Amino acid sequence: MRNILFLIMLYCSLSAWSQINLVPNPSFEDTISCPIFLDQMVACANWSSYRGSPDYFNSCGGLGLSVPNVTFGYQFAHSGGAFVGAITYHKNNTAAGGNAREFVGVNLSTPLQVGFKYYFSFYAVLAETYTGFASNNLGLRFFSIPFSVNHPAPIDNFSHLHVDSILSDSIYWHKISGSFVADSNYQYVSIGNFYDYSNTDSLAINTYSPAYYFIDDICVSTDSLYNATWTSLQNIEPNEVQIFPNPVQDYFRFQSIHKIEEIIIYDSRGRFIISELVNSTEGRIYLGSISDGIYIALFKKEKSISLHKFLKF
C-alpha cells in the first residue's frame, strides 16, 4: 500500500512539475519600470541583453515604446501588453557589420536535467517600420552561463531551435517550436539569430538596413501538450468586456467580469487618442470631443487586455 501511495505521489509530483513553463516572465509583462527609451531591457523583470541593444516595449511605456503603437510599427502583443524587439540580420560591407545581432536572455527557474526531453516555443513577427530585410534563423539557444552587453553570447552557427524559412509576415504572429533531449544542465535561454552573415538568408523589404523582429510568449517545458497549448495568463480576451451602444455618439458604457484599470482609445491607424483610469467593472467613457470615425478601445486589466472596435458618429 505504501509503495502504491508513493508511486501515486511521485506521478502527481512529476506531472505537476512537467506542466510548468521554466521561463520566468515569459511574456515580458512584469516590469521593473516602464520603458522610456529604446535599448532598455533593464526595465523588464528577469530578462536582459545577451548581445547588442534589444528593445523592450510595454503598454505602460513612453512615446514609441507603448504597445501597440511602437517605433517599429503598429503591433499588438501576442498576449498581454508587452514584447521585445531585436535585430536578426544586418547588411554591411564588412563581415563584422553584417554580423550585427541582438539577443535577449533569461535565467531559467530550474536548470535542465540531462536526459530529459524538453519542448520549447516562442512567437515572432517582422516589424513593419524601419525594417529593411526579413531573415531566417531566428531561434532559441540554451547556455550554461549568462551573457551581457560586455560579454556577448557567440555567433557561431548553432542553436537548439531556429526557423529555416525567411519570416516575412509583419501582421500575424508565428509560432516557432521544437524539442531536444538535454545533454547538459543548461540554466539560461536566449532568443536571437546565432548564425553569421554568410549562413543567414535574407529578403530585401526597403532601403533600411536591419531585419528587426518582435518576440513574445517563450515557453520551455517537459510536457509536449502543455507547450503546444500554453499561452500567457495575460491573454487578449475580446469577449470579456461588453460595450454599448455601438455605434457611439457622445459616450459608451462598459461592463466587465473583472475590474478594468484603464481604457485607452486608438484611431483606426493605431494613433493614441485618449485614455482614462477607471478601476471599476462598469462605467462610461465620454467621447463627445473626438471626431467621427472608427476607433479601437483597449480595456486594460490586471492580467489581460480586451479589445473592441467601435464607430463614432
Side-chain angles (χ1 to χ4, degrees):
M1 184 66 178
R2 289 182 179 178
N3 289 338
I4 293 175
L5 288 174
F6 172 77
L7 290 174
I8 291 173
M9 292 174 65
L10 178 62
Y11 172 78
C12 291
S13 64
L14 288 174
S15 297
W17 176 78
S18 69
Q19 295 180 2
I20 293 175
N21 187 353
L22 301 181
V23 179
N25 195 15
S27 299
F28 310 104
E29 302 297 324
D30 296 334
T31 63
I32 296 173
S33 62
C34 293
I36 56 176
F37 304 108
L38 293 173
D39 182 19
Q40 204 171 14
M41 285 303 301
V42 293
C44 183
N46 302 105
W47 291 84
S48 61
S49 169
Y50 271 34
R51 188 181 188 95
S53 54
D55 305 305
Y56 178 46
F57 304 98
N58 191 295
S59 57
C60 72
L63 182 65
L65 300 164
S66 179
V67 176
N69 200 13
V70 301
T71 299
F72 295 91
Y74 183 74
Q75 180 67 58
F76 284 102
H78 179 259
S79 70
F83 51 75
V84 298
I87 291 173
T88 63
Y89 171 87
H90 199 289
K91 186 175 182 180
N92 200 289
N93 294 327
T94 66
N99 286 333
R101 300 284 186 273
E102 293 177 340
F103 304 155
V104 294
V106 69
N107 187 353
L108 297 171
S109 59
T110 303
L112 304 191
Q113 301 300 305
V114 175
F116 278 67
K117 189 171 185 177
Y118 289 87
Y119 301 85
F120 32 81
S121 61
F122 65 93
Y123 288 82
V125 62
L126 181 69
E128 63 180 355
T129 306
Y130 301 118
T131 300
F133 290 86
S135 76
N136 67 343
N137 289 338
L138 177 58
L140 172 152
R141 181 169 175 177
F142 296 101
F143 291 103
S144 298
I145 60 173
F147 294 91
S148 65
V149 175
N150 296 323
H151 176 50
I155 303 172
D156 54 4
N157 302 317
F158 173 79
S159 63
H160 292 98
L161 165 68
H162 68 274
V163 58
D164 289 321
S165 59
I166 295 175
L167 183 58
S168 60
D169 195 336
S170 61
I171 299 176
Y172 299 105
W173 288 91
H174 289 258
K175 187 175 186 179
I176 301 170
S177 60
S179 64
F180 88 132
V181 176
D183 57 358
S184 183
N185 296 121
Y186 299 113
Q187 195 168 349
Y188 305 88
V189 67
S190 182
I191 308 292
N193 174 14
F194 301 91
Y195 294 78
D196 63 22
Y197 181 81
S198 61
N199 285 282
T200 297
D201 295 329
S202 64
L203 173 68
I205 303 297
N206 58 42
T207 56
Y208 292 103
S209 293
Y212 190 91
Y213 287 86
F214 299 134
I215 300 161
D216 201 2
D217 284 349
I218 296 92
C219 183
V220 176
S221 174
T222 57
D223 189 316
S224 60
L225 180 60
Y226 176 82
N227 182 266
T229 59
W230 177 87
T231 56
S232 167
L233 292 177
Q234 295 79 23
N235 288 320
I236 295 176
E237 301 170 351
N239 298 318
E240 190 188 52
V241 179
Q242 301 298 322
I243 69 170
F244 53 91
N246 187 9
V248 175
Q249 285 188 312
D250 292 329
Y251 65 88
F252 69 67
R253 294 186 179 275
F254 68 90
Q255 291 182 341
S256 173
I257 298 173
H258 299 106
K259 184 173 70 174
I260 303 298
E261 296 179 346
E262 183 180 13
I263 299 176
I264 307 172
I265 306 298
Y266 300 92
D267 68 11
S268 59
R269 298 180 62 184
R271 294 175 297 192
F272 170 82
I273 302 300
I274 59 172
S275 66
E276 185 171 330
L277 297 174
V278 292
N279 290 316
S280 176
T281 58
E282 60 181 72
R284 74 176 192 174
I285 300 297
Y286 177 70
L287 300 168
S289 61
I290 70 175
S291 303
D292 294 350
I294 296 174
Y295 294 88
I296 296 171
L298 184 152
F299 296 83
K300 185 176 180 181
K301 292 157 281 184
E302 181 180 4
K303 293 185 176 180
S304 67
I305 63 173
S306 291
L307 306 173
H308 279 275
K309 183 182 291 186
F310 65 91
L311 173 65
K312 166 71 167 57
F313 72 99

